[in-house]
Amino acid sequence: MDFAAFLVTQCLNALSQAALLFFLGVGLTLIFGIMRIVNFAHGAFFMLGAYVGYSSVAIAGNFWAALVLSPLLVGGFGIAFELGVLRLLYRRDHSAFLMVTFGLTLIMGEAIRLIWGVNALEVRAPPALSGIVFILDEPFPLYRLFLAAAGIVVAVAIWQFLERTRLGLLIRATSQNAEMVHALGTDVRLVRSAVFGIGCGLAGIGGVLAAPLVTASLAMAPTAVIDTFVIVIIGGMGSFLGSALGALLVAFVQVFGTYYFPDLALALMYLVMVMVLVIRPGGLLGKEA
Amino acid sequence: MNFSRGLAAAACVLALAPAALPPYAMTLLTEALILGLFAMSLDLMVGYTRLLSFGHAAAYGLGAYTCGNLLLHTGMPLLFAVPLAALFSGIVAIGVAWVCTLASGVSFSMLTLAFAQLFYAVAFKWTTVTGASDGLAGIPRSPGPFGIAIFAGKAGFYYLVLACLLGSLLFCRMLVHSPFGEVLRGIRENEAKTLSLGYNTRRYKIAVVAIAFALGGLAGALYAPFAGFANTELLFWLFSGQVLIMVIVGGAGTLVGPIIGAAFFMLVSNLLSSWTDSWALFFGLIFIGFVLFAPQGIWGLLSGTGRAEGRERVRWRFLKSTS
């Protein structure tokens, strides 16, 4: 394999990985920006997305149906949790949220084990995407290309949504000064519910998309939540662009790290995070130190 | 009931426990006391300084691996290996805390998590020292010095753990009531104000993390010879989360509360796991219930909210919902 082909395929690999990480990171960072809470259960929502995706494929027999159904259901569950539990806690310290969502992680992990069982469940990519393409004479899975493209499309869509729609405007305003938005006659609580739902739904999309690669398993949640935290912290809590940057950085470190330093691969990501925080305590694009 | 009388009574009851309890219950109780020591060490950070650590498992794992290696490879007596491991954990913590205190708030929590995961990742790969995923097995309770061997037995080891817990409790109590402790409380309530009063708050934070890690390391160092093994689970983030649960459920900022929280955690998870496979489900529910309806924890419920004497109330700085 010549070096150019190697470099291109590895970069595409990293891009597809970054897309998955971005789905997680952007949800977490949006939620943090609006609600000032850290959603520890984000990985569990991601995992739920994969399992719901599995069932949707099994029932509807169609991966695309799963891609629509899963984020809706996961987002709906997120909104229900926000209304039922989180809303009681807004006057409390942010540690309360960390702990409640930690409890939710335990509950969701166990509930998923009860409903779907302990075995990893395979989700097949749709036939149109399960082939292989040749890039500079190197075989490359088509599905990963699709992931990278999906990541870019969703990133642009979210960016445009935040910049150009009314809800996007409200979300940006709320993250800057919620009191003022409230005083101007918008029910900030509804914005919060919506954002929590959107964030969880994005994690759900990530779950469905990740399922054909890694199978739906109970180990998804812990790995996902840690990776997501790393991304969001590197990028800066609450920064949309930061989460995209963080996802890219972490994905490239993971992919190339695994290749060049297989023994250090696990530690490398944390080292990068520590380094970024030492230089910029608020993250690359974070506001506060 | 004042603190010293209550403590003396509790110590007497615990000292008599080996005579009354069956071996299985003794094992559970010993583990509960070790976890209690671990949770109490975290309370110094969480309850008194409002440094929410999500990586306290690092302290436990450091202590356990250090103690395990000393006992396995140097033939050092148990009574020397345990404090040495605790000391090592405390020294490592100075470096960790130096980096973590660059940030504050949520970023601090996440940095502690990152460090704990870094240690986890290292432990997973550094086979010669940590045994990788197999862990260290067959850690002995080496006798000595002067041939003292009573700690090798079940009851003897229990007394060693009890002594460490009570000693640490008294030490922490002294610490939080000292001028040093007052500064910690100042950081908890308003760090900017404490800083402007002329205290180098970062130095105080590093110091309290080091002390918390040393005591957490002591707990880990006791666990290694207690269980006879040490593995990467001890460094995993889930364990950091669990110990945080123990602190909050027991009552943060009370020192005694987290010990009760740890005992409660052990008891409930054992009862639940003997009754149902899905203990995590109920545990999560109980935990959410505590955060929602009893934020002051078990100790707060027991001692009543109206009483100020002998009890520290954590007044979290309320984050206004709109800010």
Side-chain angles (χ1 to χ4, degrees):
Chain A
M1 169 161 53
D2 72 301
F3 188 68
F6 163 78
L7 209 61
V8 170
T9 47
Q10 290 293 308
C11 283
L12 283 171
N13 234 336
L15 264 181
S16 65
Q17 180 80 0
L20 283 181
L21 293 173
F22 173 73
F23 283 115
L24 281 161
V26 73
L28 195 74
T29 213
L30 273 180
I31 292 172
F32 181 83
I34 299 297
M35 309 163 91
R36 302 284 147 193
I37 71 168
V38 178
N39 180 18
F40 206 97
H42 216 66
F45 282 106
F46 173 72
M47 178 164 79
L48 183 66
Y51 276 95
V52 172
Y54 168 81
S55 290
S56 313
V57 170
I59 294 166
N62 190 334
F63 185 78
W64 306 107
L67 206 50
V68 177
L69 264 176
S70 185
L72 285 178
L73 286 172
V74 174
F77 179 65
I79 290 178
F81 182 71
E82 198 275 342
L83 291 176
V85 177
L86 291 182
R87 207 163 251 209
L88 305 173
L89 292 171
Y90 284 123
R91 299 221 162 257
R92 295 261 297 274
D93 188 85
H94 55 229
S95 59
F97 293 103
L98 264 181
M99 291 178 298
V100 161
T101 48
F102 181 82
L104 180 69
T105 311
L106 289 179
I107 295 172
M108 282 173 74
E110 194 53 38
I112 287 173
R113 194 178 72 93
L114 286 179
I115 297 171
W116 281 282
V118 281
N119 294 328
L121 301 174
E122 198 186 342
V123 179
R124 258 167 227 239
L129 294 176
S130 47
I132 288 176
V133 285
F134 282 87
I135 296 167
L136 297 177
D137 295 330
E138 278 299 317
F140 191 79
L142 189 59
Y143 189 73
R144 278 193 174 270
L145 268 188
F146 163 70
L147 271 185
I152 293 168
V153 168
V154 171
V156 171
I158 294 173
W159 171 48
Q160 289 298 310
F161 162 74
L162 286 174
E163 288 291 324
R164 293 188 194 265
T165 64
R166 179 157 173 81
L167 183 57
L169 180 77
L170 282 176
I171 289 173
R172 279 183 297 136
T174 309
S175 76
Q176 277 182 13
N177 191 338
E179 218 156 38
M180 184 56 92
V181 175
H182 204 69
L184 288 172
T186 304
D187 191 349
V188 171
R189 289 180 308 169
L190 287 180
V191 179
R192 286 196 179 120
S193 305
V195 166
F196 197 77
I198 293 172
C200 293
L202 282 168
I205 298 185
V208 182
L209 288 175
L213 283 183
V214 297
T215 71
S217 75
L218 291 166
M220 281 175 100
T223 19
V225 78
I226 300 276
D227 285 359
T228 315
F229 279 160
V230 173
I231 291 162
V232 172
I233 291 159
I234 287 179
M237 299 291 273
S239 160
F240 165 73
L241 209 62
S243 66
L245 220 88
L248 280 171
L249 192 61
V250 167
F252 273 84
V253 166
Q254 278 179 351
V255 167
F256 284 91
T258 317
Y259 188 83
Y260 285 109
F261 317 96
D263 278 344
L264 280 175
L266 260 173
L268 216 53
M269 185 174 76
Y270 303 113
L271 277 178
V272 169
M273 167 168 162
V274 167
M275 263 158 31
V276 167
L277 280 177
V278 168
I279 299 163
R280 284 187 62 92
L284 289 176
L285 300 176
K287 276 169 254 165
E288 50 202 314
Chain B
M1 180 167 63
N2 68 23
F3 177 80
S4 41
R5 240 185 281 163
L7 183 68
C12 285
V13 172
L14 285 172
L16 291 173
L21 291 175
Y24 175 66
M26 276 313 295
T27 309
L28 281 185
L29 185 60
T30 311
E31 193 173 354
L33 293 188
I34 294 175
L35 283 176
L37 174 57
F38 183 42
M40 186 186 71
S41 73
L42 181 60
D43 194 26
L44 282 179
M45 289 168 70
V46 173
Y48 287 91
T49 327
R50 215 162 69 90
L51 288 171
L52 198 67
S53 168
F54 248 74
H56 207 51
Y60 202 76
L62 270 174
Y65 275 118
T66 313
C67 187
N69 269 302
L70 287 174
L71 289 173
L72 275 173
H73 302 307
T74 66
M76 188 183 274
L78 183 71
L79 282 183
F80 291 165
V82 169
L84 233 121
L87 187 70
F88 178 71
S89 177
I91 291 170
V92 172
I94 296 175
V96 173
W98 187 87
V99 176
C100 292
T101 48
L102 286 170
S104 57
V106 177
S107 298
F108 174 86
S109 305
M110 296 301 123
L111 262 180
T112 55
L113 178 69
F115 262 106
Q117 285 300 109
L118 185 64
F119 288 147
Y120 174 77
V122 169
F124 217 87
K125 289 285 175 189
W126 202 4
T127 317
T128 47
V129 172
T130 63
S133 54
D134 295 337
L136 300 174
I139 297 168
R141 297 176 191 168
S142 316
F146 316 120
I148 299 172
I150 59 161
F151 298 121
K154 199 160 198 153
F157 196 79
Y158 168 76
Y159 283 119
L160 177 66
V161 171
L162 185 61
C164 285
L165 177 66
L166 292 177
S168 306
L169 177 60
L170 288 174
F171 169 74
C172 287
R173 204 177 141 74
M174 218 176 65
L175 193 75
V176 299
H177 288 293
S178 69
F180 178 81
E182 293 299 334
V183 178
L184 295 187
R185 247 173 251 138
I187 295 173
R188 177 182 80 196
E189 298 299 333
N190 190 337
E191 186 171 353
K193 207 178 263 178
T194 313
L195 194 66
S196 62
L197 283 173
Y199 294 103
N200 185 338
T201 52
R202 184 150 173 239
R203 244 183 244 170
Y204 280 88
K205 286 198 276 188
I206 293 174
V208 78
V209 174
I211 295 169
F213 261 60
L215 292 176
L218 179 64
L222 287 168
Y223 180 80
F226 161 73
F229 70 88
N231 61 13
T232 48
E233 289 280 303
L234 303 181
L235 282 164
F236 199 47
W237 66 274
L238 204 61
F239 190 46
S240 299
Q242 282 169 344
V243 68
L244 200 58
I245 292 186
M246 295 174 205
V247 173
I248 305 298
V249 167
T254 62
L255 294 180
V256 182
I259 300 175
I260 295 173
F264 176 78
F265 186 94
M266 283 288 300
L267 191 72
V268 171
S269 58
N270 260 286
L271 284 179
L272 283 177
S273 62
S274 66
W275 171 63
T276 161
D277 247 4
S278 320
W279 66 272
L281 187 79
F282 296 95
F283 211 86
L285 287 172
I286 292 173
F287 182 52
I288 290 184
F290 261 100
V291 177
L292 285 181
F293 304 114
Q296 72 275 42
I298 298 175
W299 187 246
L301 290 178
L302 287 179
S303 51
T305 34
R307 287 184 50 194
E309 183 219 280
R311 196 168 60 83
E312 201 69 48
R313 268 184 72 188
V314 185
R315 281 190 293 116
W316 297 106
R317 194 165 59 192
F318 285 85
L319 204 81
K320 265 174 55 197
S321 67
T322 44
S323 66

